[in-house]
Amino acid sequence: MGEELLLVKVESILSVVSSKPIEPGKVHKLSLLDQAMGLHTVHLVFYYASNPFNEGPMSSDIDNLRVSLSHLLNQYPNATGRLTRDPDGGWQVKCNDAGVRILQASVTATLDEWLRSADAVLERDLTVWEDMPQDPSFWSPFRIQINNFKCGGLAIGLSCSHMNADITSLTLLIKSWTEAHRGQPLTHTPTFQLHLPTTYVSSSSSLTPSPLFIASNHVKMGTVTMKFSDSSIRKYLSQVKNECPKATPFDVLVALFWSRIAKWVDPSPKHHYLSLCVDMRTNPGIPYGYFGNALHFSLLSMDADMLLSDTGHHQVSDCIHKHVSSLKEEDFGAFIRELESKEQPCRMYGPRLTCINAEHLVCAENGGGLMYAARFNEEKPVLVSYNVGNVEGEGLIMVMPSSEAGFGRTVTVTLPEEQIVNLCKDKTVLGLEPIMLVSGNRR
């Protein structure tokens, strides 16, 4: 199907406010980490085979979603407010009942046609974004777009400034919405304050002294999404079990992509660096329901000879696993202190090749992704897509759980365009028989 037929048309825009008024004068100061993420945006798309809001011939999408969302927003005052500067010049949310912006759109394709033919650029149309204006007092930092496909399928797109929330926060927001829609209590009640001791000292020997924050050169980027089956990842894990018996799907997939991408760097350096983004909600001191940013970025270095070796991916997987498993809450505190020396937001994704670890979103009950438990009725999403805006430099790899129980994973890769072309035809990657969900080389 030609791209000219894959069109998204926004038909209406409105705001949904919480069903209970927010107390006057309530503000929420964004954390240092929140503000450091200011150059980026976050975009999620939940695809459903049928419209979960159409519960009868006389009901409409907007009427059904507004009721449950309005009740949910009582517990998310940060989502309904507006960004303002505090007296010291830092960012804060003025919780003022301004509401979440809701857009309703139609798509000139069926869901199957879209998933088969759309690329990452087109997919962004499902989460129409408007950059923050100079005066954001009337600008909605959260946007939900309801996209109706010709077949009756539906996609819910959610976007926000990364200052307001990370991917875990937004995943739980949608999942909580589905629970509110079904009249169920929230599994993860949101909390908004992150309390960290100020005496933290980094104790992780895996952190390298090389700078995490470097300048990046702007090049045209492309994106591709690949779905790897449970069986293919299990087979791949069995190949590294001697060197790394506790390897996770994240470890082996990052080792695979990192080693392949390193081959295309010219000239190849003696050492390669990888920025690892790990969610710290796995630590007891940080609640899973924390709404904001709870991400830790750290560097891992690798000798080029090992990384580029045909058999080196076993050792690379082991190094990645040891690095991630060694991170502690005190390392998070040290990372926050490092941010204090920055006078402006950093480009957190992309100066170095960056990998997002989302193993914490694997659902313990069924082994699938927690995002696939976002069910407005009995139907789970057929696909949940994640994207980070304003990625530059060496690129970004997102390893996400899939809808399949077990070790299946969905990997979204953003790289310079010529590297995306190489990746899409790389025999080692294709040897795992991934399904291409969104092809970045279609323009």
Side-chain angles (χ1 to χ4, degrees), residues 380-412:
K380 70 178 183 180
V382 297
L383 174 66
V384 181
S385 177
Y386 293 80
N387 199 275
V388 174
N390 204 15
V391 172
E392 292 186 1
E394 296 179 19
L396 175 66
I397 302 171
M398 306 178 69
V399 181
M400 310 299 298
S402 75
S403 58
E404 182 182 9
F407 292 141
R409 295 293 183 270
T410 300
V411 181
T412 298

Side-chain angles (χ1 to χ4, degrees), residues 90-307:
W91 286 107
Q92 64 182 9
V93 178
K94 183 179 181 182
C95 306
N96 57 2
D97 285 322
V100 174
R101 194 80 73 231
I102 300 288
L103 299 88
Q104 191 169 27
S106 60
V107 185
T108 58
T110 66
L111 179 58
D112 287 342
E113 289 169 342
W114 179 271
L115 295 179
R116 188 170 60 247
S117 304
D119 64 13
V121 175
L122 283 169
E123 187 179 54
R124 186 63 68 87
D125 289 342
L126 301 180
T127 62
V128 169
W129 182 248
E130 187 179 280
D131 289 335
M132 184 192 300
Q134 188 172 1
D135 177 11
S137 56
F138 296 99
W139 174 80
S140 176
F142 286 85
R143 292 167 187 269
I144 297 175
Q145 184 166 315
I146 309 299
N147 304 277
N148 294 280
F149 291 90
K150 287 172 60 177
C151 60
L154 181 136
I156 299 175
L158 172 60
S159 297
C160 78
S161 165
H162 211 321
M163 284 200 299
N164 292 81
D166 56 23
I167 62 173
T168 300
S169 300
L170 298 187
T171 299
L172 294 181
L173 174 61
I174 294 293
K175 183 175 182 292
S176 296
W177 183 12
T178 68
E179 292 168 343
H181 191 78
R182 300 198 309 269
Q184 297 179 347
L186 303 189
T187 303
H188 302 286
T189 303
T191 60
F192 302 94
Q193 298 300 323
L194 189 61
H195 301 288
L196 291 173
T198 58
T199 56
Y200 277 157
V201 177
S202 177
S203 63
S204 175
S205 60
S206 65
L207 299 181
T208 75
S210 301
L212 180 62
F213 307 110
I214 60 174
S216 63
N217 295 321
H218 178 73
V219 297
K220 192 172 183 180
M221 309 294 281
T223 299
V224 64
T225 298
M226 303 179 179
K227 182 178 180 180
F228 295 85
S229 69
D230 171 70
S231 59
S232 66
I233 298 301
R234 286 184 184 275
K235 182 179 178 180
Y236 201 40
L237 284 168
S238 68
Q239 297 175 12
V240 304
K241 65 179 180 181
N242 291 334
E243 289 82 359
C244 189
K246 295 183 179 180
T248 67
F250 174 81
D251 301 329
V252 294
L253 284 168
V254 170
L256 170 66
F257 281 94
W258 188 17
S259 63
R260 304 315 296 168
I261 293 168
K263 291 181 179 294
W264 306 324
V265 177
D266 186 28
S268 180
K270 293 183 178 180
H271 288 85
H272 292 261
Y273 294 94
L274 184 71
S275 174
L276 289 162
C277 174
V278 178
D279 194 289
M280 299 304 288
R281 290 175 178 84
T282 53
N283 287 270
I286 303 177
Y288 199 85
Y290 172 69
F291 192 83
N293 286 279
L295 304 175
H296 178 271
F297 291 80
S298 60
L299 271 183
L300 174 65
S301 66
M302 184 68 58
D303 181 81
D305 291 339
M306 179 187 295
L307 185 62

